[in-house]
Amino acid sequence: MDSSEERAGCPARGTCPVFLAMSAGTVRYAPSGLCPALEGNLREEPWGTDSPPQPDQGLPPPLAAVPVPWKSTDPCQGHRESPGALVETSAGEEAQGQEGPAAAQLDVLRLRSSSMEIREKGSEFLKEELHRAQKELKLKDEECERLSKVREQLEQELEELTASLFEEAHKMVREANMKQAASEKQLREARGKVDTILFAEFQAWRESPTLDKTCPFLERVYREDVGPCLDFTMQELSALVRAAVEDNTLTIEPVASQTLPAVKVAEVDRSTNTCALSGLTRTCRHRIRLGDSKSHYYISPSSRARITAVCNFFTYIRYIQQGLVRQDAEPMFWEIMRLRKEMSLAKLGFFPQEA
């Protein structure tokens, strides 16, 4: 505590036991409350800070300092200190009093600078995060917009496809109904034109189907369709072909290059370019084999069409005989009429080009 603080703490200088005044390295004691004799014996003496005070010559020795408990009735509360300690304390306190505000101001400036730096870095980080979030949000918005457009396009295409399929299905149903109506009309007209005798013969055969050609129905078909269709120029071979068709033992196979017999070129040309049934020079792409015979007969497309038409007719009546055709009499009758028509066309020389 410096002198000013001591003075501030003491209400009256004259009432303090000792008043300390320092100036230019001189310590002065100003005892107070002593008797006049003691005050006259004491005088001011310079006292260096480096050596203890010496008593003057011819003067009574100064009062010795006796350690006694300090008791003071003065309102100022304190304790004794040595002059050197007082000087050092006062100098340190003055230095601290001078350096304290500057250091405190420097600390405040440092704290403010650090706070501003942290605030700037935090602001930059938040700006970067905000920019990145805005960029990601923009990308997501663009993706959502793209997906929305794709969905709208798909929904539109689905609606158009549904409408197209519905229209196509409606059109197909309408055409099917029209065809059914036309077929029913043709059937009714055909029923009015059909030969009642021929249909009666078919119904009689259907009640007890047989392959015996002596029954009225098959006898008529043989006479009008099968016989003329299988009547070729080569009568002997024609009879064998007819028997094989009735017995279901005739085989027709296409001619391949590896199946040609290993004979001279002239014989190969003559066998593959001459029909064995008609005797005409034709390109023969098929050949027939009768039963288990090893012999093959090359036939023209016309002869093959005639044989195929008869075989189709016999196949269908065999299915009826075996109970594999489950239809009414009229559909069966009209299918047989169609097969008879094919035999008639093949007999007249009309056949598909792939034959």
Side-chain angles (χ1 to χ4, degrees):
M1 180 180 296
D2 57 8
S3 59
S4 61
E5 290 175 350
E6 289 180 357
R7 287 194 298 271
C10 299
R13 181 183 303 179
T15 59
C16 292
V18 178
F19 175 72
L20 176 63
M22 293 180 294
S23 107
T26 303
V27 180
R28 292 182 181 88
Y29 288 95
S32 177
L34 299 178
C35 61
L38 294 176
E39 291 180 357
N41 293 333
L42 296 176
R43 63 184 180 88
E44 296 181 359
E45 180 68 22
W47 188 6
T49 59
D50 296 334
S51 63
Q54 299 293 332
D56 294 337
Q57 297 292 332
L59 295 176
L63 296 176
V66 180
V68 293
W70 180 265
K71 292 182 180 180
S72 176
T73 59
D74 193 81
C76 178
Q77 300 295 330
H79 59 277
R80 295 176 181 267
E81 292 184 359
S82 65
L86 291 174
V87 172
E88 293 176 359
T89 303
S90 177
E93 289 177 353
E94 288 181 359
Q96 290 178 359
Q98 294 177 358
E99 296 178 357
Q105 185 176 5
L106 181 60
D107 292 340
V108 171
L109 293 176
R110 288 177 180 175
L111 289 174
R112 289 180 179 177
S113 176
S114 177
S115 176
M116 292 178 63
E117 184 178 358
I118 293 174
R119 186 180 302 172
E120 290 178 357
K121 290 183 178 180
S123 177
E124 292 178 358
F125 176 75
L126 292 177
K127 288 180 180 179
E128 292 178 358
E129 290 293 327
L130 178 61
H131 179 69
R132 183 170 59 186
Q134 291 176 349
K135 187 176 180 180
E136 292 179 356
L137 182 61
K138 183 179 180 181
L139 293 176
K140 290 182 179 180
D141 291 340
E142 293 177 354
E143 183 68 15
C144 291
E145 184 177 0
R146 187 184 68 82
L147 293 176
S148 178
K149 291 182 179 179
V150 171
R151 185 184 64 182
E152 292 177 358
Q153 183 178 0
L154 291 177
E155 290 178 353
Q156 183 178 1
E157 292 179 357
L158 182 60
E159 291 178 358
E160 293 177 356
L161 180 60
T162 303
S164 177
L165 291 177
F166 180 78
E167 183 178 358
E168 187 68 20
H170 184 69
K171 182 180 178 181
M172 292 176 63
V173 171
R174 183 173 62 252
E175 291 178 354
N177 293 334
M178 293 175 62
K179 290 181 179 180
Q180 182 179 2
S183 299
E184 292 176 354
K185 182 179 179 181
Q186 292 177 359
L187 180 60
R188 288 193 300 268
E189 293 176 355
R191 287 176 180 176
K193 298 178 181 179
V194 67
D195 189 350
T196 56
I197 298 176
L198 185 60
F199 185 71
E201 292 176 352
F202 169 74
Q203 284 185 325
W205 175 85
R206 180 175 174 271
E207 293 178 358
S208 180
T210 179
L211 297 180
D212 186 5
K213 57 185 177 182
T214 59
C215 68
F217 172 69
L218 289 183
E219 192 273 333
R220 180 187 294 272
V221 175
Y222 266 89
R223 184 180 67 252
E224 296 179 359
D225 301 311
V226 176
C229 194
L230 296 180
D231 187 11
F232 295 100
T233 304
M234 303 299 177
Q235 294 293 325
E236 183 178 356
L237 184 58
S238 297
L240 295 177
V241 169
R242 181 173 176 176
V245 170
E246 294 175 355
D247 297 337
N248 198 21
T249 59
L250 184 140
T251 304
I252 302 176
E253 58 186 16
V255 176
S257 59
Q258 64 271 18
T259 61
L260 294 178
V263 295
K264 295 180 180 181
V265 177
E267 295 180 357
V268 172
D269 292 341
R270 184 172 62 251
S271 61
T272 57
N273 292 316
T274 302
C275 178
L277 291 173
S278 64
L280 301 176
T281 303
R282 297 287 186 274
T283 301
C284 302
R285 299 187 179 90
H286 296 82
R287 64 183 184 180
I288 60 175
R289 182 164 54 87
L290 307 177
D292 297 333
S293 175
K294 302 296 182 180
S295 301
H296 295 84
Y297 302 95
Y298 293 89
I299 58 176
S300 64
S302 176
S303 299
R304 174 183 177 272
R306 293 165 67 175
I307 296 172
T308 303
V310 176
C311 289
N312 290 338
F313 171 77
F314 277 100
T315 299
Y316 187 71
I317 63 175
R318 288 193 186 97
Y319 286 165
I320 296 176
Q321 182 189 20
Q322 296 172 6
L324 300 178
V325 181
R326 300 182 180 277
Q327 291 180 340
D328 295 335
E330 291 183 1
M332 290 184 185
F333 177 77
W334 288 112
E335 179 64 19
I336 289 177
M337 293 298 103
R338 187 187 68 81
L339 294 173
R340 292 186 64 183
K341 179 182 177 181
E342 289 184 359
M343 288 189 289
S344 299
L345 293 175
K347 178 182 63 176
L348 296 174
F350 297 98
F351 57 90
Q353 293 297 326
E354 61 272 12

